Amino acid sequence: MDDGLDSAPRLPAVASSEHVLVDAIREGDRKAMARLVELHADAVYRFVYHRLDRLEALEDLVQEVFLAAWKALAFFRGESEIRTWLLGIARHKIADYYRERLQKPVISDDPDSDSGPASLAIFPDVDARLDGERLEERTRQVLSTMPEQYRAVLRWRYWDQRSLAEMAAICGNTEKSIERLLDRARRLFRKRWDDG
């Protein structure tokens, strides 16, 4: 007997656990939000950690990611995994973080700060630095001694792999001004790396 039900689209018998979690959060379930944070905090933390120039800002930035996610959850359409969506939010928060730092004026006591462009070869290879924890820690230590704007431009360029054009557009500066700032930052980084 054909009752016509076979031609109707079938829904999955069980909804994905991510969608159940998202629906629960949308309905105001605080435990569901805590579960979302529990499931994805480590991934967001690692993502932000490797792209941030000041570790003291890490916790705040991770919290901002989850707060922004909670506020924007109504717009999550499920076209990607929640983790991918959260890392996208983290990427935007990192861009905001660096935009703010790069808009501050630079005060340089370095007499070579206005000299010609430095060779890119003076900056230690980013991939090589990331390969070992010891080199990463040394890099963080050197960055911590630098002016905030220099730290920000180096981390944004090399950890987050932003192009000069992207950085300039986000900050509202010219590519040339970002290039000059990056050049001064690389020179100072190299000097402090060699002196250390």
mmCIF file with all atom_site columns, all heavy atoms in Angstrom, residues 2 5 11 18 22 38 46 51 65 70 74 80 105 121 133 167 177 179 187:
data_model
loop_
_atom_site.group_PDB
_atom_site.id
_atom_site.type_symbol
_atom_site.label_atom_id
_atom_site.label_alt_id
_atom_site.label_comp_id
_atom_site.label_asym_id
_atom_site.label_entity_id
_atom_site.label_seq_id
_atom_site.pdbx_PDB_ins_code
_atom_site.Cartn_x
_atom_site.Cartn_y
_atom_site.Cartn_z
_atom_site.occupancy
_atom_site.B_iso_or_equiv
_atom_site.pdbx_formal_charge
_atom_site.auth_seq_id
_atom_site.auth_comp_id
_atom_site.auth_asym_id
_atom_site.auth_atom_id
_atom_site.pdbx_PDB_model_num
ATOM 1   N N   . ASP A 1 2   ? 0.655  2.114  -0.952 1.00 0.00 ? 2   ASP A N   1
ATOM 2   C CA  . ASP A 1 2   ? 1.439  3.338  -1.093 1.00 0.00 ? 2   ASP A CA  1
ATOM 3   C C   . ASP A 1 2   ? 0.665  4.476  -0.462 1.00 0.00 ? 2   ASP A C   1
ATOM 4   O O   . ASP A 1 2   ? -0.349 4.916  -0.970 1.00 0.00 ? 2   ASP A O   1
ATOM 5   C CB  . ASP A 1 2   ? 1.714  3.615  -2.578 1.00 0.00 ? 2   ASP A CB  1
ATOM 6   C CG  . ASP A 1 2   ? 2.616  4.814  -2.764 1.00 0.00 ? 2   ASP A CG  1
ATOM 7   O OD1 . ASP A 1 2   ? 3.205  5.283  -1.763 1.00 0.00 ? 2   ASP A OD1 1
ATOM 8   O OD2 . ASP A 1 2   ? 2.736  5.266  -3.910 1.00 0.00 ? 2   ASP A OD2 1
ATOM 9   N N   . LEU A 1 5   ? 4.023  8.549  1.663  1.00 0.00 ? 5   LEU A N   1
ATOM 10  C CA  . LEU A 1 5   ? 5.026  9.026  2.612  1.00 0.00 ? 5   LEU A CA  1
ATOM 11  C C   . LEU A 1 5   ? 6.447  8.784  2.119  1.00 0.00 ? 5   LEU A C   1
ATOM 12  O O   . LEU A 1 5   ? 7.366  9.473  2.527  1.00 0.00 ? 5   LEU A O   1
ATOM 13  C CB  . LEU A 1 5   ? 4.836  8.360  3.977  1.00 0.00 ? 5   LEU A CB  1
ATOM 14  C CG  . LEU A 1 5   ? 3.552  8.742  4.719  1.00 0.00 ? 5   LEU A CG  1
ATOM 15  C CD1 . LEU A 1 5   ? 3.464  7.969  6.020  1.00 0.00 ? 5   LEU A CD1 1
ATOM 16  C CD2 . LEU A 1 5   ? 3.514  10.232 4.984  1.00 0.00 ? 5   LEU A CD2 1
ATOM 17  N N   . LEU A 1 11  ? 13.889 13.428 7.285  1.00 0.00 ? 11  LEU A N   1
ATOM 18  C CA  . LEU A 1 11  ? 14.779 14.156 8.178  1.00 0.00 ? 11  LEU A CA  1
ATOM 19  C C   . LEU A 1 11  ? 15.665 13.157 8.895  1.00 0.00 ? 11  LEU A C   1
ATOM 20  O O   . LEU A 1 11  ? 15.259 12.017 9.133  1.00 0.00 ? 11  LEU A O   1
ATOM 21  C CB  . LEU A 1 11  ? 13.966 14.960 9.198  1.00 0.00 ? 11  LEU A CB  1
ATOM 22  C CG  . LEU A 1 11  ? 13.070 16.045 8.605  1.00 0.00 ? 11  LEU A CG  1
ATOM 23  C CD1 . LEU A 1 11  ? 12.224 16.665 9.696  1.00 0.00 ? 11  LEU A CD1 1
ATOM 24  C CD2 . LEU A 1 11  ? 13.893 17.103 7.922  1.00 0.00 ? 11  LEU A CD2 1
ATOM 25  N N   . GLU A 1 18  ? 26.154 19.040 17.802 1.00 0.00 ? 18  GLU A N   1
ATOM 26  C CA  . GLU A 1 18  ? 26.452 20.476 17.730 1.00 0.00 ? 18  GLU A CA  1
ATOM 27  C C   . GLU A 1 18  ? 25.172 21.290 17.579 1.00 0.00 ? 18  GLU A C   1
ATOM 28  O O   . GLU A 1 18  ? 25.011 22.306 18.228 1.00 0.00 ? 18  GLU A O   1
ATOM 29  C CB  . GLU A 1 18  ? 27.386 20.777 16.550 1.00 0.00 ? 18  GLU A CB  1
ATOM 30  C CG  . GLU A 1 18  ? 28.832 20.547 16.841 1.00 0.00 ? 18  GLU A CG  1
ATOM 31  C CD  . GLU A 1 18  ? 29.741 21.155 15.781 1.00 0.00 ? 18  GLU A CD  1
ATOM 32  O OE1 . GLU A 1 18  ? 29.271 21.524 14.683 1.00 0.00 ? 18  GLU A OE1 1
ATOM 33  O OE2 . GLU A 1 18  ? 30.936 21.272 16.063 1.00 0.00 ? 18  GLU A OE2 1
ATOM 34  N N   . VAL A 1 22  ? 23.695 24.060 20.074 1.00 0.00 ? 22  VAL A N   1
ATOM 35  C CA  . VAL A 1 22  ? 23.400 25.419 19.626 1.00 0.00 ? 22  VAL A CA  1
ATOM 36  C C   . VAL A 1 22  ? 21.946 25.777 19.928 1.00 0.00 ? 22  VAL A C   1
ATOM 37  O O   . VAL A 1 22  ? 21.645 26.865 20.437 1.00 0.00 ? 22  VAL A O   1
ATOM 38  C CB  . VAL A 1 22  ? 23.705 25.581 18.117 1.00 0.00 ? 22  VAL A CB  1
ATOM 39  C CG1 . VAL A 1 22  ? 23.123 26.875 17.568 1.00 0.00 ? 22  VAL A CG1 1
ATOM 40  C CG2 . VAL A 1 22  ? 25.203 25.531 17.878 1.00 0.00 ? 22  VAL A CG2 1
ATOM 41  N N   . GLU A 1 38  ? 33.615 24.498 27.110 1.00 0.00 ? 38  GLU A N   1
ATOM 42  C CA  . GLU A 1 38  ? 34.436 23.345 27.511 1.00 0.00 ? 38  GLU A CA  1
ATOM 43  C C   . GLU A 1 38  ? 34.950 22.569 26.302 1.00 0.00 ? 38  GLU A C   1
ATOM 44  O O   . GLU A 1 38  ? 36.110 22.165 26.255 1.00 0.00 ? 38  GLU A O   1
ATOM 45  C CB  . GLU A 1 38  ? 33.591 22.425 28.399 1.00 0.00 ? 38  GLU A CB  1
ATOM 46  C CG  . GLU A 1 38  ? 34.303 21.189 28.886 1.00 0.00 ? 38  GLU A CG  1
ATOM 47  C CD  . GLU A 1 38  ? 33.370 20.270 29.668 1.00 0.00 ? 38  GLU A CD  1
ATOM 48  O OE1 . GLU A 1 38  ? 32.418 20.770 30.300 1.00 0.00 ? 38  GLU A OE1 1
ATOM 49  O OE2 . GLU A 1 38  ? 33.595 19.053 29.623 1.00 0.00 ? 38  GLU A OE2 1
ATOM 50  N N   . ARG A 1 46  ? 44.662 27.893 21.881 1.00 0.00 ? 46  ARG A N   1
ATOM 51  C CA  . ARG A 1 46  ? 45.880 27.630 21.090 1.00 0.00 ? 46  ARG A CA  1
ATOM 52  C C   . ARG A 1 46  ? 45.961 28.550 19.875 1.00 0.00 ? 46  ARG A C   1
ATOM 53  O O   . ARG A 1 46  ? 47.026 29.072 19.540 1.00 0.00 ? 46  ARG A O   1
ATOM 54  C CB  . ARG A 1 46  ? 45.922 26.168 20.637 1.00 0.00 ? 46  ARG A CB  1
ATOM 55  C CG  . ARG A 1 46  ? 46.407 25.212 21.673 1.00 0.00 ? 46  ARG A CG  1
ATOM 56  C CD  . ARG A 1 46  ? 46.663 23.822 21.106 1.00 0.00 ? 46  ARG A CD  1
ATOM 57  N NE  . ARG A 1 46  ? 45.538 23.280 20.365 1.00 0.00 ? 46  ARG A NE  1
ATOM 58  C CZ  . ARG A 1 46  ? 44.533 22.596 20.907 1.00 0.00 ? 46  ARG A CZ  1
ATOM 59  N NH1 . ARG A 1 46  ? 44.513 22.368 22.197 1.00 0.00 ? 46  ARG A NH1 1
ATOM 60  N NH2 . ARG A 1 46  ? 43.549 22.143 20.153 1.00 0.00 ? 46  ARG A NH2 1
ATOM 61  N N   . ARG A 1 51  ? 49.160 33.668 17.991 1.00 0.00 ? 51  ARG A N   1
ATOM 62  C CA  . ARG A 1 51  ? 49.033 34.866 17.166 1.00 0.00 ? 51  ARG A CA  1
ATOM 63  C C   . ARG A 1 51  ? 49.081 36.161 17.977 1.00 0.00 ? 51  ARG A C   1
ATOM 64  O O   . ARG A 1 51  ? 48.920 37.233 17.428 1.00 0.00 ? 51  ARG A O   1
ATOM 65  C CB  . ARG A 1 51  ? 47.719 34.802 16.383 1.00 0.00 ? 51  ARG A CB  1
ATOM 66  C CG  . ARG A 1 51  ? 47.761 33.755 15.302 1.00 0.00 ? 51  ARG A CG  1
ATOM 67  C CD  . ARG A 1 51  ? 46.393 33.369 14.819 1.00 0.00 ? 51  ARG A CD  1
ATOM 68  N NE  . ARG A 1 51  ? 46.488 32.419 13.725 1.00 0.00 ? 51  ARG A NE  1
ATOM 69  C CZ  . ARG A 1 51  ? 46.674 31.112 13.880 1.00 0.00 ? 51  ARG A CZ  1
ATOM 70  N NH1 . ARG A 1 51  ? 46.781 30.599 15.082 1.00 0.00 ? 51  ARG A NH1 1
ATOM 71  N NH2 . ARG A 1 51  ? 46.751 30.319 12.835 1.00 0.00 ? 51  ARG A NH2 1
ATOM 72  N N   . VAL A 1 65  ? 36.157 36.185 22.419 1.00 0.00 ? 65  VAL A N   1
ATOM 73  C CA  . VAL A 1 65  ? 35.728 35.290 21.339 1.00 0.00 ? 65  VAL A CA  1
ATOM 74  C C   . VAL A 1 65  ? 34.433 34.591 21.727 1.00 0.00 ? 65  VAL A C   1
ATOM 75  O O   . VAL A 1 65  ? 33.468 34.574 20.958 1.00 0.00 ? 65  VAL A O   1
ATOM 76  C CB  . VAL A 1 65  ? 36.834 34.263 20.997 1.00 0.00 ? 65  VAL A CB  1
ATOM 77  C CG1 . VAL A 1 65  ? 36.304 33.181 20.067 1.00 0.00 ? 65  VAL A CG1 1
ATOM 78  C CG2 . VAL A 1 65  ? 38.038 34.952 20.377 1.00 0.00 ? 65  VAL A CG2 1
ATOM 79  N N   . TRP A 1 70  ? 28.541 33.957 21.604 1.00 0.00 ? 70  TRP A N   1
ATOM 80  C CA  . TRP A 1 70  ? 27.242 33.879 22.285 1.00 0.00 ? 70  TRP A CA  1
ATOM 81  C C   . TRP A 1 70  ? 26.274 34.925 21.716 1.00 0.00 ? 70  TRP A C   1
ATOM 82  O O   . TRP A 1 70  ? 25.116 34.626 21.449 1.00 0.00 ? 70  TRP A O   1
ATOM 83  C CB  . TRP A 1 70  ? 27.444 34.071 23.782 1.00 0.00 ? 70  TRP A CB  1
ATOM 84  C CG  . TRP A 1 70  ? 26.170 34.074 24.563 1.00 0.00 ? 70  TRP A CG  1
ATOM 85  C CD1 . TRP A 1 70  ? 25.346 33.009 24.811 1.00 0.00 ? 70  TRP A CD1 1
ATOM 86  C CD2 . TRP A 1 70  ? 25.571 35.203 25.173 1.00 0.00 ? 70  TRP A CD2 1
ATOM 87  N NE1 . TRP A 1 70  ? 24.266 33.412 25.551 1.00 0.00 ? 70  TRP A NE1 1
ATOM 88  C CE2 . TRP A 1 70  ? 24.375 34.767 25.785 1.00 0.00 ? 70  TRP A CE2 1
ATOM 89  C CE3 . TRP A 1 70  ? 25.917 36.547 25.267 1.00 0.00 ? 70  TRP A CE3 1
ATOM 90  C CZ2 . TRP A 1 70  ? 23.540 35.617 26.481 1.00 0.00 ? 70  TRP A CZ2 1
ATOM 91  C CZ3 . TRP A 1 70  ? 25.079 37.398 25.968 1.00 0.00 ? 70  TRP A CZ3 1
ATOM 92  C CH2 . TRP A 1 70  ? 23.898 36.934 26.565 1.00 0.00 ? 70  TRP A CH2 1
ATOM 93  N N   . ALA A 1 74  ? 22.703 33.489 17.119 1.00 0.00 ? 74  ALA A N   1
ATOM 94  C CA  . ALA A 1 74  ? 21.452 33.518 16.354 1.00 0.00 ? 74  ALA A CA  1
ATOM 95  C C   . ALA A 1 74  ? 21.732 33.509 14.847 1.00 0.00 ? 74  ALA A C   1
ATOM 96  O O   . ALA A 1 74  ? 20.893 33.082 14.059 1.00 0.00 ? 74  ALA A O   1
ATOM 97  C CB  . ALA A 1 74  ? 20.636 34.753 16.727 1.00 0.00 ? 74  ALA A CB  1
ATOM 98  N N   . SER A 1 80  ? 29.191 25.425 8.736  1.00 0.00 ? 80  SER A N   1
ATOM 99  C CA  . SER A 1 80  ? 30.525 24.960 9.088  1.00 0.00 ? 80  SER A CA  1
ATOM 100 C C   . SER A 1 80  ? 30.426 24.353 10.483 1.00 0.00 ? 80  SER A C   1
ATOM 101 O O   . SER A 1 80  ? 29.405 24.464 11.152 1.00 0.00 ? 80  SER A O   1
ATOM 102 C CB  . SER A 1 80  ? 31.528 26.120 9.093  1.00 0.00 ? 80  SER A CB  1
ATOM 103 O OG  . SER A 1 80  ? 31.221 27.025 10.140 1.00 0.00 ? 80  SER A OG  1
ATOM 104 N N   . PRO A 1 105 ? 50.636 56.014 18.044 1.00 0.00 ? 105 PRO A N   1
ATOM 105 C CA  . PRO A 1 105 ? 51.870 56.573 17.477 1.00 0.00 ? 105 PRO A CA  1
ATOM 106 C C   . PRO A 1 105 ? 53.095 55.830 18.004 1.00 0.00 ? 105 PRO A C   1
ATOM 107 O O   . PRO A 1 105 ? 53.102 55.319 19.118 1.00 0.00 ? 105 PRO A O   1
ATOM 108 C CB  . PRO A 1 105 ? 51.867 58.022 17.974 1.00 0.00 ? 105 PRO A CB  1
ATOM 109 C CG  . PRO A 1 105 ? 50.972 58.022 19.161 1.00 0.00 ? 105 PRO A CG  1
ATOM 110 C CD  . PRO A 1 105 ? 49.976 56.920 18.957 1.00 0.00 ? 105 PRO A CD  1
ATOM 111 N N   . ALA A 1 121 ? 65.952 39.087 5.196  1.00 0.00 ? 121 ALA A N   1
ATOM 112 C CA  . ALA A 1 121 ? 66.802 38.031 5.726  1.00 0.00 ? 121 ALA A CA  1
ATOM 113 C C   . ALA A 1 121 ? 67.236 38.306 7.162  1.00 0.00 ? 121 ALA A C   1
ATOM 114 O O   . ALA A 1 121 ? 67.673 37.397 7.851  1.00 0.00 ? 121 ALA A O   1
ATOM 115 C CB  . ALA A 1 121 ? 68.028 37.860 4.840  1.00 0.00 ? 121 ALA A CB  1
ATOM 116 N N   . GLU A 1 133 ? 59.939 24.718 20.938 1.00 0.00 ? 133 GLU A N   1
ATOM 117 C CA  . GLU A 1 133 ? 59.432 25.513 22.061 1.00 0.00 ? 133 GLU A CA  1
ATOM 118 C C   . GLU A 1 133 ? 60.478 26.475 22.585 1.00 0.00 ? 133 GLU A C   1
ATOM 119 O O   . GLU A 1 133 ? 60.153 27.578 22.990 1.00 0.00 ? 133 GLU A O   1
ATOM 120 C CB  . GLU A 1 133 ? 58.979 24.592 23.188 1.00 0.00 ? 133 GLU A CB  1
ATOM 121 C CG  . GLU A 1 133 ? 57.708 23.856 22.890 1.00 0.00 ? 133 GLU A CG  1
ATOM 122 C CD  . GLU A 1 133 ? 57.292 22.976 24.047 1.00 0.00 ? 133 GLU A CD  1
ATOM 123 O OE1 . GLU A 1 133 ? 57.681 23.268 25.193 1.00 0.00 ? 133 GLU A OE1 1
ATOM 124 O OE2 . GLU A 1 133 ? 56.577 22.003 23.792 1.00 0.00 ? 133 GLU A OE2 1
ATOM 125 N N   . MET A 1 167 ? 46.926 44.518 6.397  1.00 0.00 ? 167 MET A N   1
ATOM 126 C CA  . MET A 1 167 ? 47.216 45.282 7.607  1.00 0.00 ? 167 MET A CA  1
ATOM 127 C C   . MET A 1 167 ? 46.910 46.762 7.404  1.00 0.00 ? 167 MET A C   1
ATOM 128 O O   . MET A 1 167 ? 46.312 47.403 8.272  1.00 0.00 ? 167 MET A O   1
ATOM 129 C CB  . MET A 1 167 ? 48.678 45.070 8.010  1.00 0.00 ? 167 MET A CB  1
ATOM 130 C CG  . MET A 1 167 ? 48.972 43.633 8.440  1.00 0.00 ? 167 MET A CG  1
ATOM 131 S SD  . MET A 1 167 ? 50.728 43.248 8.507  1.00 0.00 ? 167 MET A SD  1
ATOM 132 C CE  . MET A 1 167 ? 51.259 44.216 9.897  1.00 0.00 ? 167 MET A CE  1
ATOM 133 N N   . SER A 1 177 ? 53.438 52.978 5.028  1.00 0.00 ? 177 SER A N   1
ATOM 134 C CA  . SER A 1 177 ? 53.648 53.263 6.452  1.00 0.00 ? 177 SER A CA  1
ATOM 135 C C   . SER A 1 177 ? 53.746 51.966 7.254  1.00 0.00 ? 177 SER A C   1
ATOM 136 O O   . SER A 1 177 ? 54.559 51.861 8.178  1.00 0.00 ? 177 SER A O   1
ATOM 137 C CB  . SER A 1 177 ? 52.547 54.160 7.016  1.00 0.00 ? 177 SER A CB  1
ATOM 138 O OG  . SER A 1 177 ? 51.312 53.487 7.044  1.00 0.00 ? 177 SER A OG  1
ATOM 139 N N   . GLU A 1 179 ? 54.840 49.134 5.989  1.00 0.00 ? 179 GLU A N   1
ATOM 140 C CA  . GLU A 1 179 ? 56.128 48.572 5.594  1.00 0.00 ? 179 GLU A CA  1
ATOM 141 C C   . GLU A 1 179 ? 57.272 49.218 6.382  1.00 0.00 ? 179 GLU A C   1
ATOM 142 O O   . GLU A 1 179 ? 58.184 48.527 6.845  1.00 0.00 ? 179 GLU A O   1
ATOM 143 C CB  . GLU A 1 179 ? 56.335 48.766 4.094  1.00 0.00 ? 179 GLU A CB  1
ATOM 144 C CG  . GLU A 1 179 ? 57.596 48.150 3.564  1.00 0.00 ? 179 GLU A CG  1
ATOM 145 C CD  . GLU A 1 179 ? 57.751 48.349 2.061  1.00 0.00 ? 179 GLU A CD  1
ATOM 146 O OE1 . GLU A 1 179 ? 57.096 49.246 1.480  1.00 0.00 ? 179 GLU A OE1 1
ATOM 147 O OE2 . GLU A 1 179 ? 58.540 47.597 1.480  1.00 0.00 ? 179 GLU A OE2 1
ATOM 148 N N   . ARG A 1 187 ? 64.258 45.382 12.403 1.00 0.00 ? 187 ARG A N   1
ATOM 149 C CA  . ARG A 1 187 ? 65.629 45.797 12.755 1.00 0.00 ? 187 ARG A CA  1
ATOM 150 C C   . ARG A 1 187 ? 65.852 45.710 14.268 1.00 0.00 ? 187 ARG A C   1
ATOM 151 O O   . ARG A 1 187 ? 66.875 45.194 14.715 1.00 0.00 ? 187 ARG A O   1
ATOM 152 C CB  . ARG A 1 187 ? 65.909 47.214 12.276 1.00 0.00 ? 187 ARG A CB  1
ATOM 153 C CG  . ARG A 1 187 ? 66.113 47.340 10.796 1.00 0.00 ? 187 ARG A CG  1
ATOM 154 C CD  . ARG A 1 187 ? 66.215 48.828 10.420 1.00 0.00 ? 187 ARG A CD  1
ATOM 155 N NE  . ARG A 1 187 ? 66.393 48.981 9.015  1.00 0.00 ? 187 ARG A NE  1
ATOM 156 C CZ  . ARG A 1 187 ? 67.584 49.060 8.417  1.00 0.00 ? 187 ARG A CZ  1
ATOM 157 N NH1 . ARG A 1 187 ? 68.682 49.007 9.127  1.00 0.00 ? 187 ARG A NH1 1
ATOM 158 N NH2 . ARG A 1 187 ? 67.659 49.192 7.110  1.00 0.00 ? 187 ARG A NH2 1
#
